[in-house]
Every structure is written in C-alpha cells, then in structure tokens.
Amino acid sequence: MVQKQRQDAAINALRMIPTKWAVIIVVAIIGYVLLQPQLNKRFGLSLPSVASLVGDEKQTSQKKQEKLNSNEKTSTTNADSNASKAATEEKSDKDDSVNKAPTSQPQVSDPTIGAERDSEKIHGFLTEVGRNRFESPAGLVYGPGSEEGHRLKHIERHLEDQPKRPGSHGVFEGDMHAFLVAIDDAYSRAKRGDKGTKKIQDEGSTIYEASFKKPIGFLGGQEGGRKRNPPLKQLRIVVRGKSLITAFPF
Amino acid sequence: MTSQDSKIIYVESCPICGDGLCRIRICISNQKVTGFILCDECEAMWTDPLMQERVPTNVDETDPQCPSCSQSIWGKNMHWANIGEICLLGWFDHVQMVDE
Ligand SMILES: [Zn+2]
Ligand SMILES: [Zn+2]
C-alpha cells in the first residue's frame, strides 16, 4: 500500500506516461530475476538469466563454443545452479587458448600429439640451451653435427622425397614443427617402453622406434618409388646420449 | 672434392638404421690417406667395405671420431671418397654408384 502510494506520488510528480511504463518494466524485470531460477528448477525450463540476456556478444559466443567443445564441458554446462554456470564460464575463458590452436598446423595423425606452436621457440618447439644447441620438451638435444652441419638441417632432408636416392628414404608429411613434435612424442613413448615401441642399443647409439595410429609419412627414395610410395606409420630415432643423430618414418 | 662428379658412391644400404647409405669416408691427415665406411644417416662406422668390423663410438660425444686421426668424422680432414680414391684403396669392386 505504502509502496503504491509512493509510486503514484513519483508518477504524479513526473507527470509523464513513459515513466509509468518504465516502472512497470522495472517491476517485471525484478519479478523475472526472482522467479527465473525457481521456474527453471521446478519445471525443467531453460529460461535465460537477465545477466546473460544483457551480456555482450562475446559471452554468448563463448557459450556456443563451449557447447561445441568436449563432452566434459557440456556436462558442466548442463549443471543447473548459477554457481556452476559461473564456474564453467570461467573454465571456458581459461581453455580459450586451446581453442585458438592454429588450424593450419599439419595433422600428425595421432591424438597424443597436440603440442602448440610457441612463437618464442625455434620451430615453435625448441629452446636454445647453448651455442647452436636446442632442446626439446622431452629432452632431446639438436646440435651441430652431420654432413649438413646441424642435426636440424639433417632431419630436414626427411621432409622431402629424394626419388633418386638408392634404397629407402622415409619422408615425413608435415612441416618442421610437426616433425619435431612427432619425434618428441615417439621418443617419450619409446623411452617409457609403451606398447608399439622398441629400444635397440647399438654401439654408442640407441635406436628408438614407435608406431603411430595413422600414417605420418611415406616411403621415398628408389625403393619407395618401386613400391609406389606406401604410407608409413612408424618413426625411427637414433640418439647418442641425449643428442639426436637422425629421425625418419619407416 | 666431396661431390665433384655429383655421384653417390656407396657400399650398401645401412644394416643398422635401414635408411642410410654406407659410404666411403676419406681422412687425410699427417700425409696419410685412410678410408672407412660411414652410414650417412645413423653414423655407424666400419673399418672396411666387407663391413665385418664396427668402429666403436662413445655415447657422450657429439660427432663420432675418425678411427685414424680421432678428429670428428665431419671435420676439415674428411670427405666422401671419389672413384680415384676408392681405386687406390682397392675397394672399387665393393661399391655401387648412382647420380646424386
Ligand atoms: Zn645407418
Ligand atoms: Zn682422420
């Protein structure tokens, strides 16, 4: 009663009809804010909150992206309390960097491979640890050596076919970054002795072999040409100590 | 001197790594010419083209050492053998040749 009298007084004072409408709208919004969670909970509705209705485009598109993402995230989104909604939104903010993974990155055809390109690093993957020496996340060192003068230059030969070269020449399909990621993945798995890997000790060297679920390259060289360049699903890595000597699909 | 005739001269595909070619590496030091077999991929080494005796390599070294002068196999004294040098070593019957 008192509230209505005050409202009337305010309306009379302003003597403006639009103000009356504004008050009605405000009252309706307050009612919606109070009732929306209850209605959603009781009748299983999914009425949007006022916050989300007035929120910016970014928030809405983030939610859409969130739904397109993993099942794990979808299940969190389905949680009905506002608290968990807020938590999910925060999570999606944090995970945003993962969504921004470059789409141009060649597929290494293995779900275990997903290392991101770091623009600060050599080939987006290696850290300089000494003069002309670069270390991978798995601890492989790429340094000076080989006929080409540097191990990185040497393994680069395996990004292209050499059809005239006698025998086999394993060719990796992808760029240097993808190759380095695949080498690191294979090396880590083979060192652990995972299924589908092998470790061979030879004189001062260790040869690691690891299988991939899908082809990572093809057989090149004269031998590959004779066999119509069959796809290859394994990677062989030769190391001395921690230094990489060579790596190629086989 | 390394590839003046743009031919790859090799003994066979590498039995260790599968992808490499076992080629003849020449060392010239102290007026002495020495030849040995070196895989151009995995750097496995043998003393002669019959490839029966391996040249041991240490785990901790970056480059394997020449069995004659103990310098890096990729050092200044070293190069891939040409046909003349292979003939001088008496290893011609053991090699195959292909255009690079
Ligand atoms: Zn080899
Ligand atoms: Zn020497």
Side-chain angles (χ1 to χ4, degrees):
Chain A
M1 282 291 210
V2 180
Q3 201 178 10
K4 192 161 189 319
Q5 277 170 1
R6 273 183 195 165
Q7 271 177 12
D8 288 341
I11 290 158
N12 288 335
L14 289 165
R15 289 161 202 243
M16 281 167 74
I17 294 165
T19 313
K20 185 183 168 186
W21 281 106
V23 170
I24 291 165
I25 290 161
V26 167
V27 170
I29 289 166
I30 292 165
Y32 183 82
V33 167
L34 294 170
L35 287 171
Q36 180 254 343
Q38 308 292 331
L39 289 169
N40 279 356
K41 203 167 193 175
R42 188 159 295 181
F43 302 110
L45 299 171
S46 54
L47 297 169
S49 70
V50 174
S52 73
L53 286 169
V54 298
D56 59 14
E57 272 300 306
K58 195 181 155 200
Q59 239 181 340
T60 323
S61 66
Q62 257 178 9
K63 279 199 174 182
K64 276 183 192 164
Q65 183 62 47
E66 197 180 292
K67 280 190 181 176
L68 291 169
N69 283 342
S70 71
N71 292 333
E72 184 200 331
K73 280 184 198 166
T74 313
S75 69
T76 351
T77 317
N78 287 344
D80 57 7
S81 83
N82 286 335
S84 71
K85 264 188 189 173
T88 314
E89 268 161 37
E90 196 185 348
K91 187 176 183 290
S92 110
D93 274 345
K94 278 177 188 165
D95 288 352
D96 210 26
S97 58
V98 179
N99 298 334
K100 280 176 194 157
T103 47
S104 60
Q105 186 179 319
Q107 294 298 304
V108 183
S109 321
D110 191 303
T112 54
I113 294 169
E116 267 193 83
R117 205 180 284 262
D118 185 339
S119 56
E120 305 269 291
K121 297 187 170 178
I122 310 297
H123 293 297
F125 197 63
L126 306 175
T127 310
E128 189 158 10
V129 289
R131 196 163 170 261
N132 244 342
R133 286 165 59 82
F134 310 99
E135 195 178 35
S136 75
L140 277 174
V141 175
Y142 298 78
S146 79
E147 190 181 5
E148 291 78 10
H150 201 281
R151 301 295 175 187
L152 287 169
K153 272 263 164 243
H154 178 79
I155 63 165
E156 218 173 66
R157 296 189 327 141
H158 289 283
L159 297 181
E160 268 179 27
D161 192 8
Q162 296 184 348
K164 283 182 176 175
R165 187 172 158 88
S168 304
H169 179 69
V171 183
F172 181 83
E173 280 185 297
D175 66 1
M176 198 60 172
H177 173 263
F179 194 19
L180 294 170
V181 172
I183 292 168
D184 241 32
D185 174 65
Y187 175 67
S188 305
R189 286 190 285 125
K191 249 178 94 172
R192 280 199 305 266
D194 285 7
K195 205 180 155 200
T197 68
K198 229 189 241 181
K199 181 182 171 182
I200 304 146
Q201 212 63 52
D202 174 75
E203 290 287 340
S205 313
T206 310
I207 301 166
Y208 294 100
E209 295 176 357
S211 298
F212 287 77
K213 285 172 185 148
K214 287 176 187 170
I216 51 165
F218 62 88
L219 184 66
Q222 285 187 10
E223 181 80 7
R226 267 196 297 275
K227 293 178 175 170
R228 294 174 156 221
N229 305 109
L232 299 175
K233 291 167 84 171
Q234 295 188 81
L235 195 64
R236 183 174 287 138
I237 304 163
V238 182
V239 302
R240 231 178 352 254
K242 280 184 160 190
S243 296
L244 181 127
I245 305 303
T246 189
F248 50 83
F250 75 102
Chain B
M1 200 163 175
T2 38
S3 57
Q4 79 275 46
D5 45 8
S6 66
K7 281 197 187 298
I8 297 180
I9 305 167
Y10 67 103
V11 177
E12 61 178 76
S13 284
C14 178
I16 307 299
C17 70
D19 242 35
L21 293 175
C22 296
R23 298 163 70 176
I24 295 162
R25 196 82 178 148
I26 297 287
C27 163
I28 304 172
S29 62
N30 302 321
Q31 293 165 317
K32 201 174 93 181
V33 177
T34 315
F36 58 97
I37 311 299
L38 172 70
C39 169
D40 62 7
E41 274 294 338
C42 73
E43 299 177 350
M45 293 191 286
W46 291 264
T47 53
D48 67 276
L50 290 171
M51 294 173 60
Q52 287 167 338
E53 197 186 323
R54 290 284 296 274
V55 177
T57 50
N58 299 323
V59 183
D60 54 346
E61 65 191 2
T62 311
D63 288 342
Q65 295 166 354
C66 164
S68 169
C69 71
S70 301
Q71 299 293 304
S72 161
I73 54 164
W74 305 115
K76 285 194 298 239
N77 304 337
M78 316 279 169
H79 61 267
W80 294 121
N82 59 40
I83 297 165
E85 289 163 331
I86 290 165
C87 289
L88 280 173
L89 288 165
W91 291 357
F92 188 76
D93 288 347
H94 298 277
V95 299
Q96 305 175 59
M97 260 174 279
V98 69
D99 286 332
E100 210 161 2

